Each structure stands twice: as C-alpha cells, then as structure tokens.
Amino acid sequence: MLTNQVKSQIRDVYKSIATSLPHFRSRREQNYMVAEISKTLAGDYDKHRKIIVVEAGTGIGKSLSYILGTIPLALASKKKVCIATATVALQEQLLHKDLPFFLQQSGLDFKFGLVKGRQRYVCLAKLDAMIGADDSQIAMWQNKPDQSQIDKLKKLRDDFQQKKWNGEIDTLKNPIEDFLWQQICCDKHSCHRQVASHHHCPFHKAREDVETWDVLIANHSLLFADLELGGGVILPEPEDMFYVIDEAHHLPIVARDFSSAQATLRGASDWIEKSTKTCTKLQNQLKTTHIISPVQAMLDLNAELVTLLNQVASYCDAQLPLFNNPESRWRFEHGKLPQPLLIQAENLASCSGKAVKQFTKIISVLNEAIKDGELAKHLAEAALAETGFILQRLENLSKLWKMLAKEDNSKGAPLARWVELLNSKQQDYLFSASPIEVGYMLESMLWEKAEGVLLCSATLRALNNFNHFAHQVGLSVNDGSRFLALQSPFDYQNNATLFIPQMDNEPTADGYTEELAEQILALIEGEMATLVLFASYWQMEKVTDLIEPKLKDIPMLVQGSMSRQQMLAQHKQRCDDGKPSLLMGTGSFSEGLDLPGDYLTNLIVTKLPFAVPTSPVEQAHAEYVKAKGGNPFLQLTIPDASRKLIQSCGRLLRKEQDYGRVTILDRRLVTKRYGKSLIDALPPFRKVIE
C-alpha cells in the first residue's frame, strides 16, 4: 500500500518543482498519472499484478510524471527503478536534463546513470591482439587490419592509457568504422577478469558503478538482453525493481527481433573449420591432459556439423525454383518445414547443442590453465578472445536450429521460419526463425517476475482502445493490469484543422502520384513551414521530380539527400530567417520529430500508413490469423495504421500555443467503411472534409 509518508513526499516534491519552473501549469492529467502510477506500483489495486499501461498525450509531461510516481516509492521500499527507452534522444534527455533537475528539486538522495551493453566498451585484450595481429591470431578477425587501421587502434590504446578516453564508443572524438569496432569491442565470452589486462576493463569499471545506482537508464535491447539471461545479470533482479518502459509502442517489435535467430550454411561451415584449427592449437599449447578429451570430442562434432550443413545446402540447391521470387526467399507455410529438412534440422539442433556444451568444457579447461599460469600473457588473451568469438557463434547456431526443429505449441502461434538465397562469392543460404507473437514470452520473462511495471507512450491505443497493444505484449484488460488513457491538454478544436480535400484518385489509382504533386503544390502556397510525410521512398522521389521544377524560391529538403540533423538545421534556419521551408520525409519522420511553434504549421500526410506484409514474419502472422478464422486486414493492418496515423498527425502540435493544419491526401478515409474509425481515433481537430 502507498503510505501517507510517500504520498506527502510526492506532493511536496511536486510543489517544489511547480515553484521553481517559470510558466509551470499544474495539470489535472499529470497529477492523476502520478497518483495512478504510484498506487499501482505500491499494490493498492492488485498486490500480485502491479502493471499499468498509460497513454499520455503530448503536453502532459510524462517523463516528470513517471519519475515522480516511481522514485520516491522505490527509495521508500528499497527498490530500484529501471527506465528503458527506445531512442538515444530520450536517454540523453533523462540523463542530462530530467533526472538532474528532479534530484536538485526533490531533496531526495539517489544516484542514477546510463547502463550500456558490453558492445559499447572496448576490450583491451582484443585491442592489443588486433594491434599485434599475426597469422596465428587472425582466425578470430573478419578481415586482417591494414596499417592505417592499426595506427588508428594504437591511437585508441594510447588515449586510453593516458586517460584521454574512457573506453566507450560513445565518447570517441573521431568515429571508428563499425566493422573495426566489432572486432575490438567487449563480449560476454571473452571477458575474464583474472587476465591482467582485464583488471582495468572499462566495461567492468562501468558495471561497478551500476551497482551503486538507484535509478538506471537503459535501452529496450539491453533490457531484453538481461531478461533473456533470466534477469538480474546485467541489471538488478526483476523482483527488486520497478520497470518504466517508455516509448512502449516499440516493445512488441524489439521483443520479437531479440528472440529471433539466423545463420548461413556454407559461411557457418567455414568458421567451424577455422575453429577446428583453434582447438588443435589449444591442445598443443596447454600442458594439461584434461584438454585432450574435450578437444577430440569437439573435432568429431565439428566434422559432423560441417557434414550436416553441407547436406542442407545440397537439399536447398535442389529446390532452386522455390527461391525464384523478388526476395529470393522460401518461406515455410504455417512455419512447417518439409519432412526431409525437418529431420536435418533436428540433427543439427542436437549436434550444435552438444558442440556448445563441449566447447564450454574446453573454455573451462583453458581458464584453469590460465589461472595456473600455463600460458604466457599474450597467448592467454588471444586464446580467450578467439574461443569467446567461437562460442558466441556456436550458441547462435544452436539457437537457430533448435528454433527450426522445435515443435510448435498447438495453443499458440507457430514460429515464422524461412530461408533466403544469397549470391555472393559462393552461393549460400541464410536460414531464419522468429516468433510471431511475443506476449507469452513477456509474461514469463517480465510480467511474472518484476516488482512492478509501467508501460507508457504518447501513442499506444489503436481505434480508441488498448486491445491491439495489450494482445501484442501479452496483457489483458481483465487480468488485473491497469490501463489509462490521458488526453492531451492542447486545444485541438481552436488551434488545428484536419483537412481532407476532394481528389479524383485514391492511392491505388494510376493517376494518384501526379494528383499528389498538384495537391502538394497548392497546399504549400503561402505557407512558411511545411512537412510532407510519404508512405514510401519511391513515391517521395517521384513527387519530388514532379514538383521541383515548379517551385520558385523554396528549396526542398528531402530525406536521404543529407542527414536528418542537417535537414532540420537548414529547415529551422530558413524559418528563423522568415523564409518558407519544405521538408519531405517518410515514415521515420512521423515519430520523434519535434518542430514546435513556427517550425511546423503545415503538415501533409500523403497516404494512410498501411504496412504491406513484405517481411516473412508479417506474412506468417497474417497467415496465422487467417488460419484461425480471423481477418488480417481488420485485426492487424487497420489497428497498426491507426496508431501510425495518430503518430504522424502528432507532429503538428508540440506545445500548447502551437497551431496549424493537417491535410490527409487519402480519400479512403471518406470512401471506405474503416475510414470513420480512423478519423475518430485522431485528436479532436476542427474538421474540414470536402
């Protein structure tokens, strides 16, 4: 239960913040959000299901609401708070602005910081090995570095040793090529603190700091990395933590992608054969006889793995007509592999599982030998990095083939399974497997374990209800979880107009793109700050070609022609100079784009954001819904389009005094039965429909 002490503490902090912020306005919605979060997480509504889902419209101040609703309660109940976000921008806002301000104003004593994954830190042992890379160590690297790259790596090492750099990729003054960083970054398998050069490991130093924090900021991927390990490995134990999952509309996709696996056939055979050389080398380097048995078993398993992978490749070679499509992809209907392939998948799942266990034994013997001082420092570090790299790949291979061979639960959705033909130096096949629905997984990984969870975003509902989102994340409106929709305090009726003009063509018609160009030219006439959102790059480029010759003094800022940062800087500069500006972007510009005041007064949405199910996971999901007697368009496509359309229209009003017009150039809002429900789910704009 929420104690009177915590209640009065929250009220006092809120008053302190209100008096210190100029132009602060106390909002009923914000007060209500704070109260509902703290009461839910304290167990006032349900002691066993402390989960609340909040859609907080723009302008409510959700960051302050969840900080105020969680931190005082967490400190009083000796719990920690983990705030997980989808974007770096929000992490930086929390780290550099929101939490320092709250710490200063609240009078509370707490520590906070940003938790990063291992891959954000350099591995000093790998860095040393790369600088001195010779043929005996080269098996672990994707490409042997050239001299200019080695010089760059030497500079990194010097900067670290001279304390000019802390070992994080995010603090590098000069960016490093991604492929090069991948070969020197930290990974869980190569991390051994007993090795001398690991004593000053930037990652372990950062982890020591994490243990002292009361509030942890992380991204969604790091959250899932911890949950997949059972929780409490990277982050504190779930039962000791209140989770705040901000930008929660991303959660279903992140969870799905994190649980998927993929690997090639012939590419895997190549690195397995390289790993055989590593095993033989270790047997020669180590004096202990304990290494002989696991190495011999591993050599046999490697040979078996290569044989099995080659058999699958031969099977695929015989099925080439099935790859004769634009994606060069063979998706297995209802996730079912053909019987010959299923038998091969079962064999590979069994063999790769044994290989992981056997290779883990080899690493265990290696660790003991290092402890006993059997290996010279440079040999020990190279061996750990090399074996860690191999184990990581083996685990991924094992995960994939287990997912391909696994029998699906008749009560749930099948896994999506597919294979793609790759034509590079050698013809190869990329096998993939992914869950379609992740709700059951989130239930066991998070909802059941956490002390309490808040999921929030400005856009979670579709068609004015939480049903679609709740199903996606494995919650239910009657399972004890709380659902709260708070309307934006903005005056949409007086400050913004929704305009749907008369048009001759719907998006499926041949003349639509030409009419789109004509409409956009008319709609930007006399306007100073315009953003046009397109459903595809193809259509954006086509329209750009049509209208560019007809524009007089307005340069077009088109997504892809320069970085997003450059585009927005040029757009704002033109607006500041009193010159008209025109931004052209696709779906990625419909989220996280903040252009308040006079930086955006004219928003044009060209087309309803219906996702074409081109990805194999989306196709498998639609197939599953259909097999269950459902309608994929009504159950998946429409709710998804509703949420995306609300997000797109949300670009217009960012502050209370903002104003402008939203135009949607898609007559299906008027002519189709589903159109009314999509319009009704939008903010209550003043409507003009021709």
Side-chain angles (χ1 to χ4, degrees):
M1 295 288 285
L2 194 63
T3 64
N4 289 330
Q5 185 184 350
V6 173
K7 283 181 190 174
S8 62
Q9 198 174 41
I10 290 172
R11 279 195 292 267
D12 290 345
V13 173
Y14 190 73
K15 282 177 191 170
S16 170
I17 289 170
T19 53
S20 66
L21 276 177
H23 314 301
F24 181 84
R25 289 184 61 178
S26 179
R27 300 196 184 284
R28 187 176 59 82
E29 296 90 354
Q30 188 174 53
N31 286 324
Y32 186 53
M33 182 174 171
V34 173
E36 288 299 291
I37 290 169
S38 53
K39 285 197 284 188
T40 302
L41 298 183
D44 284 16
Y45 296 113
D46 190 321
K47 289 179 182 176
H48 306 291
R49 194 80 168 168
K50 302 176 187 176
I51 300 172
I52 180 167
V53 179
V54 182
E55 180 181 273
T58 310
I60 285 174
K62 65 180 167 63
S63 300
L64 176 59
S65 299
Y66 62 63
I67 287 170
L68 190 52
T70 57
I71 293 176
L73 174 65
L75 294 173
S77 50
K78 294 186 168 44
K79 303 292 180 188
K80 291 179 184 268
V81 176
C82 173
I83 305 173
T85 79
T87 60
V88 173
L90 183 50
Q91 287 169 33
E92 289 180 347
Q93 179 189 313
L94 287 162
L95 184 67
H96 301 300
K97 183 182 170 189
D98 296 345
L99 286 170
F101 173 75
F102 186 77
L103 179 64
Q104 183 187 11
Q105 297 300 324
S106 67
L108 298 171
D109 181 21
F110 66 92
K111 291 182 178 178
F112 63 89
L114 177 63
V115 189
K116 300 180 183 180
R118 289 175 188 269
Q119 289 80 16
R120 309 305 292 176
Y121 299 91
V122 72
C123 172
L124 299 174
K126 284 187 181 180
L127 183 61
D128 283 344
M130 269 297 263
I131 290 168
D134 58 35
D135 291 338
S136 66
Q137 298 169 346
I138 215 68
M140 61 190 284
W141 315 127
Q142 301 283 348
N143 303 97
K144 190 171 181 176
D146 60 33
Q147 192 54 49
S148 68
Q149 290 163 345
I150 288 174
D151 291 342
K152 195 178 286 187
L153 295 176
K154 282 179 178 173
K155 178 77 168 64
L156 289 186
R157 185 173 64 182
D158 292 345
D159 284 351
F160 182 82
Q161 288 171 347
Q162 293 164 21
K163 296 189 167 33
K164 292 179 184 175
W165 178 51
N166 66 355
E168 291 181 33
I169 189 172
D170 305 299
T171 57
L172 280 173
K173 287 179 184 170
N174 301 309
I176 185 172
E177 296 95 321
D178 186 55
F179 84 91
L180 200 56
W181 179 260
Q182 291 305 318
Q183 298 183 72
I184 61 167
C185 69
C186 191
D187 72 80
K188 65 177 180 178
H189 298 300
S190 312
C191 248
H192 295 272
R193 298 193 74 176
Q194 69 265 34
V195 178
S197 68
H198 290 244
H199 293 170
H200 306 290
C201 170
F203 168 72
H204 285 298
K205 174 70 180 73
R207 278 292 181 270
E208 285 167 10
D209 294 339
V210 168
E211 290 171 17
T212 67
W213 296 342
D214 305 290
V215 181
L216 299 85
I217 307 164
N219 62 25
H220 290 174
S221 295
L222 188 74
L223 171 64
F224 277 102
D226 184 57
L227 295 175
E228 196 177 52
L229 294 167
V233 179
I234 303 169
L235 302 169
E237 296 288 346
E239 55 266 30
D240 295 329
M241 196 142 62
F242 293 124
Y243 292 90
V244 176
I245 301 175
D246 201 346
E247 301 174 310
H249 56 280
H250 288 285
L251 193 65
I253 300 295
V254 175
R256 191 187 73 191
D257 290 349
F258 208 87
S259 305
S260 62
Q262 58 178 204
T264 54
L265 298 178
R266 293 184 170 117
S269 295
D270 289 347
W271 66 255
I272 288 169
E273 285 174 349
K274 283 180 183 174
S275 79
T276 297
K277 292 177 184 174
T278 300
C279 292
T280 307
K281 182 172 68 178
L282 279 176
Q283 187 173 324
N284 294 333
Q285 283 178 336
L286 300 183
K287 296 166 189 170
T288 176
T289 55
H290 295 303
I291 194 72
I292 297 169
S293 176
V295 162
Q296 290 309 310
M298 193 67 211
L299 297 183
D300 292 341
L301 285 166
N302 276 357
E304 189 181 344
L305 274 174
V306 170
T307 301
L308 290 169
L309 288 166
N310 287 338
Q311 285 173 1
V312 176
S314 298
Y315 176 82
C316 291
D317 287 341
Q319 315 295 326
L320 283 179
L322 295 169
F323 296 92
N324 191 14
N325 54 64
E327 293 82 27
S328 301
R329 182 192 299 144
W330 176 17
R331 186 177 64 79
F332 305 112
E333 282 190 25
H334 307 292
K336 293 190 181 303
L337 273 64
Q339 192 59 29
L341 190 53
L342 180 60
I343 293 167
Q344 290 171 327
E346 287 168 349
N347 291 338
L348 272 162
S350 170
C351 188
S352 59
K354 289 175 188 172
V356 169
K357 287 178 184 173
Q358 205 59 243
F359 202 76
T360 304
K361 287 181 187 175
I362 290 173
I363 291 177
S364 180
V365 174
L366 173 62
N367 285 329
E368 285 301 315
I370 291 169
K371 270 188 199 173
D372 295 341
E374 280 190 35
L375 276 183
K377 176 178 173 280
H378 72 283
L379 292 176
E381 289 172 354
L384 285 171
E386 207 169 319
T387 51
F389 177 78
I390 293 164
L391 182 57
Q392 214 168 3
R393 288 194 149 190
L394 275 173
E395 284 178 341
N396 178 64
L397 193 69
S398 177
K399 180 182 177 182
L400 169 72
W401 289 102
K402 278 178 183 168
M403 289 177 77
L404 289 168
K406 179 185 170 190
E407 188 176 346
D408 290 317
N409 187 331
S410 57
K411 292 178 184 175
L415 293 177
R417 298 175 174 93
W418 70 97
V419 56
E420 292 168 46
L421 173 63
L422 305 177
N423 280 309
S424 49
K425 290 179 184 175
Q426 58 172 354
Q427 184 168 287
D428 204 349
Y429 299 93
L430 178 68
F431 273 79
S432 302
S434 169
I436 291 172
E437 296 184 341
V438 294
Y440 68 95
M441 186 180 75
L442 286 169
E443 177 67 39
S444 60
M445 287 167 70
L446 186 54
W447 313 146
E448 284 179 359
K449 291 182 176 181
E451 173 64 18
V453 186
L454 159 67
L455 299 106
C456 62
S457 173
T459 321
L460 287 178
R461 293 181 302 160
L463 306 173
N464 282 321
N465 64 64
F466 284 105
N467 297 347
H468 183 59
F469 178 74
H471 177 75
Q472 283 183 308
V473 297
L475 299 176
S476 164
V477 289
N478 54 16
D479 67 359
S481 302
R482 303 271 298 161
F483 291 85
L484 187 64
L486 298 171
Q487 299 300 326
S488 167
F490 293 171
D491 186 355
Y492 287 97
Q493 275 285 320
N494 290 312
N495 288 6
T497 302
L498 172 65
F499 178 42
I500 304 174
Q502 183 61 52
M503 291 183 72
D504 296 328
N505 296 286
E506 288 189 0
T508 49
D510 290 340
Y512 174 71
T513 303
E514 286 72 18
E515 189 176 3
L516 203 56
E518 291 168 17
Q519 287 279 1
I520 290 168
L521 280 169
L523 288 163
I524 62 175
E525 187 73 38
E527 294 287 341
M528 298 301 288
T530 301
L531 168 64
V532 187
L533 293 173
F534 291 87
S536 69
Y537 268 101
W538 171 85
Q539 199 142 53
M540 179 175 72
E541 286 165 2
K542 194 83 174 163
V543 168
T544 300
D545 291 342
L546 289 168
I547 70 173
E548 194 164 26
K550 299 177 183 177
L551 288 174
K552 295 167 187 169
D553 302 317
I554 311 177
M556 279 193 295
L557 301 168
V558 184
Q559 185 180 357
S561 63
M562 64 188 86
S563 75
R564 179 169 166 146
Q565 203 174 353
Q566 287 174 310
M567 276 182 73
L568 297 180
Q570 286 191 29
H571 170 76
K572 288 178 178 178
Q573 189 60 57
R574 285 190 64 82
C575 293
D576 291 342
D577 295 342
K579 297 175 183 175
S581 184
L582 173 59
L583 283 169
M584 311 271 271
T586 59
S588 62
F589 271 55
S590 66
E591 184 182 354
L593 189 67
D594 197 28
L595 294 170
D598 293 335
Y599 290 136
L600 179 58
T601 54
N602 187 33
L603 174 65
I604 302 170
V605 179
T606 57
K607 192 173 172 182
L608 293 177
F610 289 137
V612 180
T614 50
S615 90
V617 181
E618 289 165 341
Q619 290 168 349
H621 200 176
E623 183 179 71
Y624 171 64
V625 169
K626 212 168 183 178
K628 299 280 284 183
N631 183 324
F633 184 71
L634 294 178
Q635 288 174 241
L636 303 176
T637 310
I638 292 285
D640 185 57
S642 173
R643 185 183 59 73
K644 286 177 180 171
L645 187 62
I646 295 165
Q647 272 185 331
S648 297
C649 293
R651 295 313 97 209
L652 184 67
L653 303 189
R654 307 301 300 167
K655 297 264 190 298
E656 199 157 356
Q657 59 271 36
D658 288 359
Y659 63 96
R661 178 182 65 191
V662 178
T663 305
I664 303 178
L665 299 174
D666 192 331
R667 291 296 293 181
R668 289 176 295 184
L669 283 171
V670 181
T671 62
K672 302 295 182 187
R673 286 174 64 185
Y674 56 76
K676 185 178 184 306
S677 59
L678 289 175
I679 292 174
D680 290 345
L682 292 173
F685 300 116
R686 181 174 61 251
K687 297 179 182 67
V688 177
I689 301 174
E690 291 183 345

